[in-house]
């Protein structure tokens, strides 16, 4: 079985400040991990993914995430927030044993203050 | 058109109506998915099709009926819906369903459904 927990359903950051979104997962087999972003009235856009190899993954729009197996975490960061980063962010996990089923966290809505 | 498209983008229907949601993918993928996104609930997988064959039905009520006539098109037929079925319905596609690195899912913009 797989599960994802995103700590904090809402995060408020100032423009230019660090963005840190937390994601912890549970998986009985080596996971694939994803971060998706959803802008208002739009679908989900893939930000980045971890499958194998380097544990620090760089994505689009300046975001990156680090897979930490010992902590079962895949936190998303961006050094400097921009107003355009205001959106909802979803962490998801899949595992080869589960076919291609994605299990999503509850999402974190990011508000960027000028 | 590129990526995954969905029509209509917005739909309002009564509980006795019959309507259909359409999804089309232009990525050459072989698998397609329907998800439901309700307020304050995590995204829920509804159906998975691989090579036009349904491979997953996630305990979805029969008032939702999927159809996949070919690998590029996916429909969700709706009838006798309830107000609690109001949600954003998202379609996604992937190369396959074996769960490899290549099977990343790409999502459409969604259809916002309101059931009165």
């Amino acid at each position: 079985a797989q599960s994802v927990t995103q700590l904090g359903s809402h995060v408020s950051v100032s423009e230019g400040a660090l963005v840190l979104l937390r994601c912890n997962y549970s998986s009985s087999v080596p996971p694939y991990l994803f971060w998706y972003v959803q802008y208002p009235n739009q679908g989900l856009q893939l930000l980045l993914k971890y499958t194998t190899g380097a544990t620090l993954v760089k994505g689009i729009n300046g975001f990156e995430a680090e897979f930490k197996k010992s902590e079962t975490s895949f936190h998303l960061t961006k050094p400097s927030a921009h107003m355009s980063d205001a959106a909802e962010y979803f962490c998801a996990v899949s595992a080869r044993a589960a076919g291609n089923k994605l299990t999503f966290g509850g999402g974190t809505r990011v508000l960027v203050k000028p | 058109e590129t990526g995954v498209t969905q029509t209509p983008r917005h739909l309002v229907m009564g509980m006795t109506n019959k309507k259909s949601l359409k999804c089309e993918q232009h990525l050459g993928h072989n698998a397609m998915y329907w998800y439901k996104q309700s307020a304050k609930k995590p995204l829920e997988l509804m159906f998975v099709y691989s090579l036009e064959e349904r491979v997953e039905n996630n305990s979805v009520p029969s008032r939702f009926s999927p159809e996949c006539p070919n690998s590029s098109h996916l429909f969700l037929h709706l009838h006798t819906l309830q107000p609690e079925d109001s949600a954003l319905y998202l379609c996604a596609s992937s190369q396959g369903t074996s769960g490899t690195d290549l099977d990343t899912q790409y999502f459409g913009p969604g259809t916002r459904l309101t059931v009165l």
Side-chain angles (χ1 to χ4, degrees):
Chain A
Q2 306 170 130
S3 67
V4 177
T5 302
Q6 290 184 240
L7 291 176
S9 60
H10 292 79
V11 167
S12 181
V13 298
S14 298
E15 193 174 18
L18 171 73
V19 179
L20 170 61
L21 305 182
R22 299 181 187 274
C23 172
N24 288 89
Y25 70 90
S26 171
S27 177
S28 56
V29 296
Y32 293 159
L33 294 158
F34 305 81
W35 276 100
Y36 285 88
V37 60
Q38 186 176 33
Y39 298 102
N41 300 315
Q42 294 188 29
L44 275 66
Q45 180 182 0
L46 181 68
L47 267 181
L48 50 80
K49 65 179 182 181
Y50 168 81
T51 53
T52 57
T55 56
L56 182 62
V57 181
K58 295 187 185 299
I60 61 172
N61 302 338
F63 285 93
E64 62 182 36
E66 187 171 11
F67 169 58
K68 291 187 177 181
K69 183 178 178 181
S70 61
E71 298 177 9
T72 60
S73 69
F74 192 57
H75 302 330
L76 181 71
T77 60
K78 181 175 180 177
S80 176
H82 191 271
M83 297 299 291
S84 60
D85 295 326
E88 190 157 20
Y89 293 78
F90 294 91
C91 182
V93 62
S94 72
R96 195 170 300 187
N100 205 28
K101 288 180 63 175
L102 276 175
T103 300
F104 285 88
T108 299
R109 189 171 298 277
V110 173
L111 171 66
V112 182
K113 299 178 292 184
Chain B
E1 290 279 13
T2 58
V4 181
T5 58
Q6 291 185 242
T7 55
R9 294 293 309 276
H10 300 272
L11 178 62
V12 179
M13 59 186 290
M15 289 190 286
T16 58
N17 290 160
K18 287 185 179 182
K19 297 286 184 183
S20 296
L21 310 184
K22 178 183 176 183
C23 175
E24 184 173 359
Q25 61 93 3
H26 309 269
L27 299 169
H29 288 165
N30 294 312
M32 298 186 76
Y33 310 74
W34 279 117
Y35 287 85
K36 177 183 179 182
Q37 186 178 28
S38 307
K40 299 182 181 180
K41 290 179 70 175
L43 275 146
E44 304 171 70
L45 178 65
M46 299 175 72
F47 301 104
V48 181
Y49 276 82
S50 177
L51 297 171
E52 297 122 60
E53 179 181 334
R54 191 188 310 179
V55 297
E56 181 83 26
N57 178 347
N58 217 20
S59 303
V60 179
S62 60
R63 56 186 184 270
F64 295 91
S65 175
E67 178 190 2
C68 189
N70 56 63
S71 59
S72 298
H73 294 87
L74 184 65
F75 295 88
L76 189 62
H77 303 299
L78 316 170
H79 66 96
T80 325
L81 293 193
Q82 305 298 311
E84 59 265 28
D85 297 322
S86 298
L88 182 68
Y89 289 86
L90 292 164
C91 174
S93 72
S94 66
Q95 182 61 44
T97 57
S98 58
T100 69
D101 184 14
L102 297 175
D103 293 334
T104 298
Q105 293 180 35
Y106 294 89
F107 285 78
T111 294
R112 174 71 63 187
L113 174 67
T114 303
V115 182
L116 302 176

